Amino acid sequence: MTFALGQRWISDTESDLGLGTVVAMDARTVTLMFAASEENRVYARNDAPVTRVTFNVGDVIDSQQGWSLKVEQVVEEQGLLTYLGTREDTEESGVALREIFLSNQIRFNKPQDKLFAGQIDRMDNFVLRYRSLTNQFQQHKSPMRGLCGMRAGLIPHQLYIAHEVGRRYAPRVLLADEVGLGKTIEAGMIIHQQVLSGRAERILIVVPETLQHQWLVEMMRRFNLHFSIFDEERCVEAFSEADNPFETQQYVLCSLGFLRKSRQRFEQALEAEWDLLVVDEAHHLEWSQDNPSREYQVIEGLAERTPGVLLLTATPEQLGRESHFARLRLLDSDRFYDYEAFVQEEEQYAPVADAVSALLSGQKLSDDAKNQITELLSEQDVEPLFRVLESQASDEEKASASQELVDNLMDRHGTGRVLFRNTRAAVKGFPTRNVHLMPMPIPSQYETSMRVSGLIGGKITPEARAMKMLYPEEIFQEFEGENSSWWQFDSRVNWLIEKVKAKRSDKILVIASRASTALQLEQALREREGIRATVFHEGMSIIERDKAAAYFAQEEGGAQVLICSEIGSEGRNFQFASQLVMFDLPFNPDLLEQRIGRLDRIGQQRDIDIFVPYLEGTSQGILARWYDEGLNAFAETCPTGRAVYDAFVSRLVPALAAGGSDDLEEIIEESAKLNKTLKSQLEHGRDRLLEMHSNGGDRALEIAEKISATDGDTNLVTFALSLFDTIGLNQDDHGENALVVTPSEHMMVPSYPGLPYEGATITFDRDTALSREDMHFISWEHPMIQGGIDLLMSEGVGTSAVSLLKNKSLPVGTILLELVYLVDAQAPKRSGISRFLPQTPIRILLDARGNNLSSQVEFEGFNRQLSPVNRHLASKLVGSVQNDVHRLITASEAFAVEEVKAIREQALKEMEHSLNSELERLQGLKAVNPNIRDEEIEVIEQQVNELSGYISQAQYQLDSLRLIVVAHN
C-alpha cells in the first residue's frame, strides 16, 4: 500500500471511527488519526485493514467547515487528492477542496457509497443478507407465525385454540381443558403470537406460588420468553430503578398470594399498564354475589384495567355453575352480569348440542332439532342447507352442508367465543394405563419402629399421625439416626432393583413424596447394583434439574432411572418413558393425578405401566385400596377425586392413622358410589358443541399438517450455519441431530443475541428437542435466528459486493448490476402492519443497457454461477465502471417505483379483504351472540383506517447491491 501524510483512509473493521488521516509513517507502520471519534490506530504498512477514500466526478462531498462540493474534477499531486467543483450553498464554481479538509464525520452508509469507497463485502455476506430479508419477509407473512417455533409436539386441538385466539386483538378467554391436555402450552402459544405480532408488549402472569418456577421454565424453554419472578425482595431491589417496580420489566410473573398480601404491591401492579394478563388455576378464585374473596377482587381489579385476559382453569362443571359464571364475569362483566340469566341462557344450548351431534354422526334431523337450529340461525341461512341434507345429493355435498351448519352454530354458541374446553373423551389419543398394585411383606424393623412410635407419639393429631404412618422409612430413621440404611432391607427397594434389572432397555420414572427418600433410593440403586440413576428434587436449581432430566433423556449412556420427589416433578413431562413406579403415595388425589400426568399426557406414544408397591398391613395399603377401588384413580383420570376426598376425609384419616378400621369396606364402597354419581353428573353436563368447537376438527388437523410441513426445513439449517459463521460463532458437531455453538474471540459483536455466555447445544429437529430439554430448538422464530438477522442488518453486513460470472457466451467485461430495495411502512408494531406489509425486498437485475432481467433470472440459480473476487481486484473493477454503475442505479429507480406501487396495492387489498371480512363476520354475529364485544369491532374499524394510511405511505430505499463482471477463465 502507498501511504502519504494527509491522505484519507477508512477502517475496514471499524467503520464507525469515521474518516482517518495519515499522521505518521515509518518503514513498517503507518498511524491514522480518526478525529471524529478521537482515536488513533497504528497499522502494519503491508497489511493494514484500511481502504483509501477517493471520490469521483458527480459525487457530493462535505468539508470540515460544513459546506458541500459537487465534484467536477479530481487532481492528484504527490499522492494527495484535490477535488474541484461547484460549492452547493453559494453555487460558486471552480472551488478546490483538498482531501485533508474533508469532513471527519463522513461515513459510507449507502450501499453505493461503500462500493465506490472500496468497502466491499464478501460475496457470501451479500447472499446471506438477501436470504435474511426474503426469509424474514416469508415468516412475517406466514399465517402460522408464532406457532412453528415452540418446543412442543404438534397437538391439533392445542394449535387450533392458539391459532384461533392468538390472532385476536386483546383476547379475553377462558382455557378450561381437562388435565393433561396442555392448557399451559396453549397459553404460551397465544402469548408468543401476541408478542411476535406486537399486540402485547407488557405481560403479567399470576399463578399459585408453587407453580412460579414451572411457568418460568415453560415460558423460557418452550417459547424463549424470559419472564422475571417478582416477590417482595425483587420489588425492593427494583425500587432504585423506578418508583413502580413493575415498570422495570416487560414480562412479569408473580404469585397471587404476593399480590393479595400487600395492598401497595397490588396497587403498583394495577398502575403498571399491562397488555395481557394470564391467570393460572383460576378455579381457586372463590366468588359469591355477596362475598367475593380477596383473591377474586385482586384479579378482578387487574382484569378491568388490562385489554387481554387469559384465565386457565379446571373443567368448569367440576366446581359448580356459580364458580364457572364468576370466571366468565372476569372476562366480560357487561355480558355476564346476572347469574340467573346466565343459567337460563346456558340451558337453551343443550338441544342445539344434541342437534349438532346428530349432524356430525350423519343422522337425520328431527323437526324439533330443525326448529332449535332455525331459532339460532336465520331461516334463509338454514333452509337451503336442510334441503341439501334431505335431498339425493352426494355424500360430499351433504357433508359440506352439514359442516356449514355446524360452523354457523358454533359461531353463535353461548360461550363458544370466550370459553375453550377439551376433554379426554373428545380429544382421544391417550395411552392405556396398566395398573399393578403390589402388596409386599412389611420388614420387622419397620414393625418395631412403628410400634414404638405409636407408644411415644400420642400427642400428635390424627392427620399428622396418618401422614407419618404413610412413610415407615422416616419413622425408622427417626430412631436409628440419619446414617441408618433402611434401603438395605425394605422389600419395596428389593423389588425395585429386580424390576430395573429386568427392564434394562426401559426408562423408569420413580416418584417418592420426599426429597430425602429420592436421594437415598438413588444411593441404594448405585451402591447395591451399580444402576445408573439420577435424582430430581425441589432442593436443586433449575440448571441442576435440567441436567438431571437431560441425563435421563439421553438414549445411550444416560440414566435408566429418574427418581423424583413430589414437588421436584411438578410441571415436567417425561413422555419418552412409559414405566412409572410410585414408591409411596401422596395423601391427595390431585397430586396422584399430577404424578401420573408426568407420563400420561397427550402425545405419549406407548401405553403406560403404573407400579404401586406397598407394605401390607400399613396405611399405604389402605390408601392404595381407596385410590384404586374407591376412585379408580390409577386406571383413569379422576376429575371428581377432590370432591370425593373432601366428603370422606374425616373418616379416612382415622383409618390411616390407626392402620385400619372396621368401616374401611364401607368407606371404599360409598366412595365408589359417590364417585360414580359425580362422574355421571359431569358427563351429563358436558357440552359437546363446545368441545367440538374447542378441538377444531379438520381445521385443527390442517394447522398441524401445515406446521409439520415446515419442520426439517433444510433452508433454515443452511441459513443458520452461514449466519453463525458470518457472526463468528464456533460450531462443533454433537451427534444426535445436534450442534454445540459457542462464542469465539473473533466475533463481530461482543455477545450474540439468545446465546448464553458459555454457549448452547442446539438442534433443528423437533423430536430431538422434545426428548432433550437441555437443547435449544432452533426455528425461524428463535431469538438466535431473529437476533442474528437484526444484527446483520444493523451492522450493515453484505450491503455491497462484487462477483465474477464465467460465461463464454457473453463478452469479457460485460457488467450486470443486482440491486435489492427494501419497502418499509413506518408504523408501530402493534398496528399489525407486519401481517400485510412487513419489510419487503425487491430484487432488480439490470444488464449494461438497463434492462431488468430479474423475472427471467432467479436469485439462487444465478448465484450458483458466480465466483467471489478479492477486495483489491473488486475495487479496481468498480473504479473502471463507476460511471456505468451510477447510470444503472439511476435507471433502477423507475423499476423500483413500479414494484413499490404494486406491493402497496397488494398489501392494501389483502388487509381490506382480511379485516373487512372479519369485521362483517363479527357484526353479523353480534346480532345473535352478545359475546362479541363492541371494543373488538371498533378496534378492527380503526385498524383498517390506520393501516390504509401506513400502507399508502410506505417508502423504499436501496438496501444492497452487487456488481457482476463477466470473465472467461
Side-chain angles (χ1 to χ4, degrees):
M1 292 181 173
T2 310
F3 292 98
L5 292 174
Q7 282 178 345
R8 309 308 296 272
W9 295 70
I10 193 159
S11 167
D12 297 340
T13 52
E14 301 173 283
S15 56
D16 56 335
L17 292 174
L19 223 53
T21 308
V22 178
V23 291
M25 293 181 295
D26 60 27
R28 289 183 301 106
T29 65
V30 58
T31 302
L32 265 67
M33 179 182 74
F34 295 92
S37 49
E38 299 182 356
E39 298 269 359
N40 283 1
R41 294 286 184 271
V42 179
Y43 300 110
R45 285 186 70 156
N46 294 339
D47 195 21
V50 290
T51 299
R52 179 88 159 95
V53 173
T54 58
F55 292 99
N56 298 284
V57 173
D59 290 338
V60 175
I61 53 177
D62 297 331
S63 73
Q64 285 178 16
Q65 284 78 33
W67 49 268
S68 303
L69 181 82
K70 182 158 188 182
V71 179
E72 288 156 4
Q73 190 184 348
V74 183
V75 177
E76 184 174 0
E77 195 176 336
Q78 296 180 331
L80 293 176
L81 301 174
T82 301
Y83 299 100
L84 304 171
T86 302
R87 196 168 149 166
E88 294 226 311
D89 55 346
T90 62
E91 295 188 2
E92 182 186 347
S93 59
V95 176
L97 177 60
R98 289 166 58 203
E99 70 173 297
I100 197 164
F101 295 118
L102 284 171
S103 168
N104 299 312
Q105 270 81 18
I106 287 178
R107 288 207 182 129
F108 300 100
N109 295 326
K110 290 181 180 175
Q112 60 268 49
D113 291 346
K114 291 179 85 170
L115 187 75
F116 300 141
Q119 281 195 301
I120 297 167
D121 286 297
R122 287 165 40 165
M123 174 177 138
D124 55 355
N125 285 357
F126 174 82
V127 172
L128 184 65
R129 186 180 186 88
Y130 180 68
R131 287 177 182 156
S132 296
L133 292 170
T134 52
N135 285 319
Q136 205 165 38
F137 170 74
Q138 284 159 6
Q139 291 310 307
H140 278 289
K141 293 289 280 182
S142 168
M144 298 299 131
R145 186 162 185 246
L147 295 175
C148 300
M150 80 247 167
R151 182 207 296 272
L154 302 179
I155 313 290
H157 78 269
Q158 292 175 353
L159 292 166
Y160 173 74
I161 290 176
H163 188 251
E164 181 70 19
V165 177
R167 294 177 305 156
R168 291 183 192 172
Y169 162 79
R172 295 179 76 90
V173 298
L174 181 63
L175 302 177
D177 285 356
E178 273 187 349
V179 67
L181 290 173
K183 291 187 289 289
T184 312
I185 291 178
E186 289 165 7
M189 287 194 275
I190 292 165
I191 295 168
H192 196 216
Q193 287 175 92
Q194 292 274 309
V195 166
L196 284 184
S197 66
R199 288 193 180 104
E201 291 173 6
R202 291 184 46 74
I203 300 163
L204 175 65
I205 299 179
V206 182
V207 301
E209 194 164 355
T210 55
L211 295 181
Q212 285 184 121
H213 279 95
Q214 177 191 328
W215 269 86
L216 182 78
V217 170
E218 288 277 281
M219 292 299 105
M220 184 166 58
R221 186 177 286 111
R222 290 190 184 280
F223 304 100
N224 301 299
L225 293 168
H226 293 263
F227 277 80
S228 301
I229 291 182
F230 270 51
D231 52 17
E232 188 55 36
E233 192 182 336
R234 176 66 187 258
C235 286
V236 171
E237 273 175 33
F239 186 68
S240 59
E241 294 176 52
D243 292 342
N244 186 341
F246 288 96
E247 289 172 355
T248 61
Q249 292 293 330
Q250 296 293 88
Y251 305 154
V252 172
L253 178 58
C254 69
S255 76
L256 180 56
F258 167 60
L259 293 179
R260 180 183 61 79
K261 285 174 196 162
S262 167
R263 176 162 287 282
Q264 180 196 8
R265 299 305 178 208
F266 167 56
E267 285 173 357
Q268 287 172 332
L270 271 185
E271 288 162 13
E273 293 190 4
W274 309 99
D275 299 316
L276 185 62
L277 167 70
V278 182
V279 184
D280 195 11
E281 303 276 320
H283 46 280
H284 293 317
L285 303 172
E286 290 175 14
W287 176 87
S288 65
Q289 280 179 313
D290 308 323
N291 187 25
S293 66
R294 175 71 185 140
E295 286 87 349
Y296 187 92
Q297 289 172 321
V298 164
I299 298 302
E300 186 176 31
L302 287 166
E304 279 172 2
R305 292 211 190 178
T306 308
V309 179
L310 302 181
L311 302 180
L312 283 67
T313 177
T315 305
E317 292 87 344
Q318 202 171 320
L319 296 132
R321 265 188 172 167
E322 191 174 45
S323 170
H324 177 40
F325 170 76
R327 291 190 291 279
L328 292 172
R329 194 177 158 275
L330 289 171
L331 298 174
D332 190 346
S333 54
D334 294 336
R335 163 80 181 83
F336 300 101
Y337 60 93
D338 179 73
Y339 175 61
E340 296 305 325
F342 167 71
V343 170
Q344 222 173 345
E345 186 187 323
E346 282 283 279
E347 280 165 3
Q348 292 172 8
Y349 289 104
V352 180
D354 292 339
V356 168
S357 295
L359 272 172
L360 289 177
S361 58
Q363 295 169 19
K364 195 174 177 186
L365 287 174
S366 66
D367 288 342
D368 282 350
K370 283 190 205 167
N371 291 337
Q372 287 284 349
I373 291 171
T374 310
E375 274 180 38
L376 269 185
L377 308 173
S378 71
E379 202 168 319
Q380 64 195 50
D381 284 343
V382 297
E383 278 305 325
L385 297 172
F386 287 156
R387 278 200 296 276
V388 172
L389 290 172
E390 288 166 6
S391 70
Q392 300 300 309
S394 68
D395 290 346
E396 202 175 309
E397 287 171 315
K398 285 186 178 180
S400 171
S402 173
Q403 190 59 53
E404 194 176 332
L405 263 180
V406 171
D407 288 347
N408 288 336
L409 283 168
M410 285 180 181
D411 252 350
R412 286 154 173 74
H413 180 248
T415 51
R417 190 169 167 76
V418 292
L419 171 62
F420 290 85
R421 189 191 73 224
N422 283 292
T423 61
R424 286 175 171 242
V427 169
K428 310 239 178 340
F430 284 89
T432 300
R433 298 178 179 183
N434 302 314
V435 184
H436 311 273
L437 295 187
M438 318 197 67
M440 297 182 180
I442 182 168
S444 57
Q445 293 93 323
Y446 284 166
E447 284 185 309
T448 305
S449 58
M450 286 166 80
R451 193 164 52 248
V452 175
S453 172
L455 293 172
I456 63 173
K459 290 180 183 175
I460 62 173
T461 64
E463 283 87 350
R465 183 186 293 276
M467 285 296 286
K468 196 171 181 180
M469 300 302 273
L470 284 172
Y471 311 110
E473 66 278 5
E474 288 191 354
I475 298 173
F476 174 77
Q477 208 156 335
E478 275 178 33
F479 292 101
E480 300 297 328
E482 280 189 17
N483 296 325
S484 61
S485 300
W486 57 268
W487 44 266
Q488 296 283 15
F489 58 78
D490 191 311
S491 46
R492 293 169 299 169
V493 178
N494 299 337
W495 168 83
L496 178 61
I497 286 172
E498 292 309 312
K499 155 91 180 148
V500 173
K501 282 160 65 180
K503 295 262 188 184
R504 285 289 190 191
S505 59
D506 287 336
K507 298 279 186 183
I508 299 169
L509 178 66
V510 180
I511 303 185
S513 293
R514 311 283 202 266
S516 56
T517 310
L519 287 161
Q520 287 168 309
L521 276 176
E522 188 275 332
Q523 185 184 354
L525 295 182
R526 179 168 31 85
E527 289 188 13
R528 286 180 57 180
E529 286 292 338
I531 291 164
R532 277 201 305 267
T534 186
V535 191
F536 198 97
H537 60 82
E538 60 272 24
M540 298 162 73
S541 69
I542 288 177
I543 291 171
E544 287 169 331
R545 293 189 211 186
D546 276 353
K547 284 182 178 168
Y551 182 40
F552 182 47
Q554 207 173 307
E555 285 184 28
E556 286 180 31
Q560 185 190 353
V561 183
L562 176 65
I563 307 164
C564 284
S565 67
E566 197 82 70
I567 302 168
S569 73
E570 265 185 10
R572 295 286 182 139
N573 304 321
F574 301 107
Q575 284 161 273
F576 51 85
S578 62
Q579 306 283 303
L580 174 63
V581 174
M582 301 221 195
F583 188 77
D584 52 34
L585 290 169
F587 188 41
N588 178 331
D590 290 347
L591 284 179
L592 182 78
E593 189 58 54
Q594 190 178 56
R595 282 186 179 194
I596 300 171
R598 300 302 111 236
L599 304 188
D600 181 13
R601 302 187 72 76
I602 189 102
Q604 169 64 266
Q605 301 297 311
R606 292 173 290 176
D607 290 346
I608 60 174
D609 286 305
I610 301 171
F611 296 92
V612 187
Y614 64 88
L615 300 174
E616 291 175 300
T618 67
S619 307
Q620 291 182 352
I622 295 168
L623 193 55
R625 275 196 64 198
W626 184 72
Y627 278 144
D628 185 44
E629 297 168 40
L631 296 182
N632 196 23
F634 295 117
E636 293 178 3
T637 54
C638 193
T640 50
R642 187 73 202 195
V644 180
Y645 169 85
D646 289 340
F648 286 92
V649 67
S650 59
R651 292 166 67 187
L652 195 57
V653 163
L656 291 171
S661 82
D662 296 338
D663 67 341
L664 179 61
E665 297 302 326
E666 202 176 293
I667 292 171
I668 290 173
E669 197 177 313
E670 288 178 23
S671 296
K673 200 179 287 182
L674 177 60
N675 190 42
K676 193 176 176 184
T677 306
L678 290 174
K679 274 194 166 178
S680 113
Q681 285 172 4
L682 271 184
E683 183 61 26
H684 180 70
R686 273 176 65 197
D687 183 339
R688 283 174 180 75
L689 182 55
L690 179 59
E691 288 171 15
M692 291 166 207
H693 170 60
S694 299
N695 71 40
D698 289 343
R699 276 175 295 180
L701 292 171
E702 275 172 38
I703 293 169
E705 282 162 14
K706 277 183 186 169
I707 295 171
S708 179
T710 67
D711 280 358
D713 181 359
T714 52
N715 178 24
L716 168 63
V717 180
T718 312
F719 176 82
L721 299 184
S722 300
L723 177 64
F724 298 158
D725 200 39
T726 300
I727 305 290
L729 302 180
N730 295 323
Q731 303 166 54
D732 298 301
D733 189 12
H734 188 60
E736 294 186 78
N737 297 320
L739 280 176
V740 176
V741 181
T742 49
S744 73
E745 290 174 7
H746 54 273
M747 278 169 60
M748 184 186 290
V749 285
S751 63
Y752 184 84
L755 181 67
Y757 176 74
E758 68 282 3
T761 305
I762 65 168
T763 181
F764 297 93
D765 181 69
R766 188 181 297 275
D767 291 337
T768 303
L770 287 173
S771 66
R772 292 289 305 272
E773 291 199 333
D774 56 322
M775 292 185 184
H776 286 250
F777 175 47
I778 301 295
S779 70
W780 288 111
E781 293 168 359
H782 194 281
M784 283 177 71
I785 300 295
Q786 291 296 313
I789 290 175
D790 291 345
L791 196 58
L792 279 186
M793 297 300 134
S794 62
E795 294 288 320
V797 174
T799 53
S800 66
V802 177
S803 299
L804 291 182
L805 172 61
K806 290 171 184 173
N807 187 324
K808 291 189 176 170
S809 61
L810 293 171
V812 173
T814 302
I815 67 163
L816 298 159
L817 190 65
E818 191 168 26
L819 307 103
V820 180
Y821 284 91
L822 208 51
V823 184
D824 193 7
Q826 296 291 317
K829 196 177 174 190
R830 61 172 56 227
S831 68
I833 189 71
S834 64
R835 245 178 96 188
F836 308 107
L837 185 54
Q839 280 198 331
T840 307
I842 298 171
R843 174 176 169 261
I844 295 169
L845 179 64
L846 298 182
D847 64 14
R849 293 178 187 160
N851 299 311
N852 186 3
L853 311 177
S854 56
S855 58
Q856 298 114 278
V857 184
E858 62 89 31
F859 180 82
E860 293 296 344
F862 182 55
N863 186 62
R864 283 193 288 272
Q865 299 174 45
L866 304 180
S867 311
V869 183
N870 68 53
R871 183 179 277 194
H872 181 64
L873 177 56
S875 289
K876 276 188 157 182
L877 290 170
V878 171
S880 66
V881 294
Q882 187 160 346
N883 290 336
D884 291 327
V885 173
H886 272 295
R887 175 175 55 78
L888 291 176
I889 290 172
T890 306
S892 71
E893 291 263 338
F895 294 109
V897 167
E898 279 303 303
E899 290 258 15
V900 171
K901 189 178 167 195
I903 286 166
R904 281 192 198 134
E905 284 172 6
Q906 180 62 26
L908 208 55
K909 194 170 154 187
E910 271 181 41
M911 181 273 293
E912 286 173 347
H913 177 265
S914 172
L915 295 184
N916 284 335
S917 59
E918 178 67 2
L919 188 61
E920 283 165 24
R921 175 174 166 267
L922 291 182
Q923 285 166 336
L925 284 178
K926 185 153 181 64
V928 286
N929 184 348
N931 271 322
I932 311 303
R933 310 193 322 269
D934 286 335
E935 187 188 356
E936 272 192 275
I937 290 175
E938 286 160 16
V939 161
I940 293 180
E941 287 171 341
Q942 188 182 339
Q943 196 181 9
V944 171
N945 290 336
E946 282 182 358
L947 285 172
S948 299
Y950 293 137
I951 290 169
S952 61
Q953 288 164 25
Q955 299 299 309
Y956 69 96
Q957 65 181 42
L958 182 59
D959 176 81
S960 46
L961 50 74
R962 168 162 67 173
L963 173 66
I964 296 124
V965 182
V966 174
H968 282 178
N969 51 5

